[in-house]
């Protein structure tokens, strides 16, 4: 019997996480306590962010993350299901928790970050989700586990999928060799300006050499300063600037927007503009998966560029 | 139509909370991050602890806490239901969260505490749960809100219920007047040695004067040094000392044990010994509602005294 999977557009691989945003008057000294003024929880994790925004833009997305037993039946899972994101290949670690980030902010806007890796520790010993990869057009490798990303990238390459890669804040977790391996097999590299600079330094190449070596498209995002898209030519795209309440999630939503337009066959410039317009919504409200626009909303805002 | 409630033994009033126990290598400086080595979540809150332990010991318990919309359908709620704890009068604040405590511990065993009051802010504007109070034999006023405790205490007094009171770490939240009012109407006061000392100082009385004024029984717990029960006479009860993995929850489980024995008509000495035996289980394992013994287990261990 052959089990036929529904074809999907985009598989995002990497973290789904819970973000706790905790506001305090001041950070307490050891062996003292403080009241929390405000606490918000948000759904996050770079791969989940891309899947959610992609889905809202009309892509059929799938998500492979490592989550805890707490995820099953959770509101987060229900939210992903409501968005018709295929989660059947998620790695569920019954006796651990979904990765969790605690971001504490005091009244001076200083921040302290605590990250709980939790279930995501199990990425490295997990097999690449062959069927999930086979059933999509494109695979996006987000923050998660370098080894797992590499495994998934190899399968995706052998299946001739479009592969995008965004190591993000995990860049330091990649050995030079692993980084080179993933770069070699991907088609599109995403990074902010710090990350792209650092990648070029690690592999000791310039953009052109990198594009020869691996990704034929390199997308460098620079927040309110817009983005550069490097391919045969160099395209600068302006950001659509909104009062940025909360820049977290901007990068992931840009990536989802870019991939949506790219998979639709748009020009790179159009991809960048579309991506900028998508990101401009997400920064308006706190959280990475909040104020996510649909296709119509993005089209209206794109006319501003 | 008259709605007849099932009679219950004990109503615990005050916090139900979620406790996050977070272990890190060291506390990060502002604007830096650290990985969490281990993270455990436990069910807690003093009132919920008493209800849970009481239920395990065979009391029919009810619980009135202020919880968030996240509580409904949560594993915590299911756990309380499984223990047959009546939660029908819980104060559910849809658009806020269940009170949450974050306890961060570094490798030097230094700790930082963050408390999120959340839904419990709504205690003060809530009415006393008349029907819940009427349907029980005894009411335990735990940490929560001083005004709400006072309101509930007044109803319980007018209904001639047995009232126990344990202000715990909330002691500083009571004005002298409110403290005096609650003390005046309660029958049993619980506190650790620091708290009893502080109460006597605030109201400027000694134990005998306090017992004349309000609670005829004062129970002072002293961790591994046992407890003192002050009534017409003074009774010292030894602790049953186990390797204390985690002393949190010891006090609440002692109170639940004491009330179980007291409602059964046992002598005060027996109440104290029973309570000590109950607490000796709870300290063996991390968490306030973990390793909770049943009646048989307590009876076996009591033979050690």
């Amino acid at each position: 019997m052959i089990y036929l999977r529904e074809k999907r557009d985009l598989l995002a691989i990497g973290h789904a996480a819970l973000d706790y945003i905790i506001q305090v008057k001041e950070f307490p000294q050891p062996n003292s306590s403080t009241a929390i003024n405000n606490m918000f929880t948000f759904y996050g994790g770079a791969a989940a962010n891309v899947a959610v925004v992609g889905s809202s833009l009309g892509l059929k997305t799938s998500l492979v993350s490592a989550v805890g037993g707490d995820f099953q039946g959770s509101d987060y899972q229900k939210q992903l299901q409501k968005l018709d994101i295929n989660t059947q290949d998620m790695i569920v670690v019954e006796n651990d928790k979904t990765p969790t980030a605690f971001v504490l902010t005091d009244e001076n806007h200083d921040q302290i970050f605590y990250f709980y890796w939790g279930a995501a520790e199990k990425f490295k010993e997990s097999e690449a989700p062959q069927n999930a990869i086979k059933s999509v057009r494109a695979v996006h490798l987000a923050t998660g586990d370098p080894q797992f990303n590499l495994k998934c990238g190899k399968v995706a390459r052998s299946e001739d999928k479009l592969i995008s890669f965004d190591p993000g804040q995990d860049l330091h977790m990649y050995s030079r060799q692993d980084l080179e391996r993933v770069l070699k097999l991907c088609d599109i590299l995403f990074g902010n300006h710090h990350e792209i600079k650092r990648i070029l330094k690690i592999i000791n190449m310039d953009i052109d050499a990198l594009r020869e070596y691996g990704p034929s498209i390199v997308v460098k995002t620079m927040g309110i300063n817009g983005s550069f898209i490097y391919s045969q030519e160099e395209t600068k795209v302006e950001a659509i600037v909104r009062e940025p309440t909360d820049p977290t999630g901007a990068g992931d939503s840009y990536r989802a927007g870019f991939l949506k337009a790219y998979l639709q066959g748009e020009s790179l410039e159009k991809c960048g503009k579309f991506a900028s317009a998508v990101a401009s919504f997400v920064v308006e409200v706190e959280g990475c998966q909040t104020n996510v626009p649909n296709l119509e909303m993005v089209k209206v805002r794109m006319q501003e560029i």
Side-chain angles (χ1 to χ4, degrees), chain A residues 111-124:
Chain A
Q111 293 192 312
I112 292 179
F113 304 86
Y114 290 95
F115 293 106
Y116 182 61
W117 198 253
E121 298 274 6
K122 292 289 184 291
F123 266 131
K124 65 171 87 57

Side-chain angles (χ1 to χ4, degrees), chain A residues 226-291:
Chain A
S227 51
F228 268 107
I229 304 165
Y230 301 94
S231 63
Q232 279 94 323
E233 52 200 21
E234 229 179 275
T235 310
K236 169 87 198 282
V237 178
E238 297 301 325
I240 297 179
V241 179
R242 282 289 184 281
E243 188 65 37
T245 299
D246 175 28
T248 58
D252 295 329
S253 60
Y254 180 102
R255 283 135 183 80
F258 191 97
L259 291 168
K260 161 68 182 166
Y262 189 83
L263 288 173
Q264 224 167 264
E266 305 290 353
S267 71
L268 292 179
E269 188 182 1
K270 186 94 183 284
C271 291
K273 286 181 175 174
F274 186 85
S276 288
V278 172
S280 74
F281 285 93
V282 172
V283 299
E284 288 179 280
V285 176
E286 288 221 54
C288 298
Q289 296 177 21
T290 39
N291 207 42

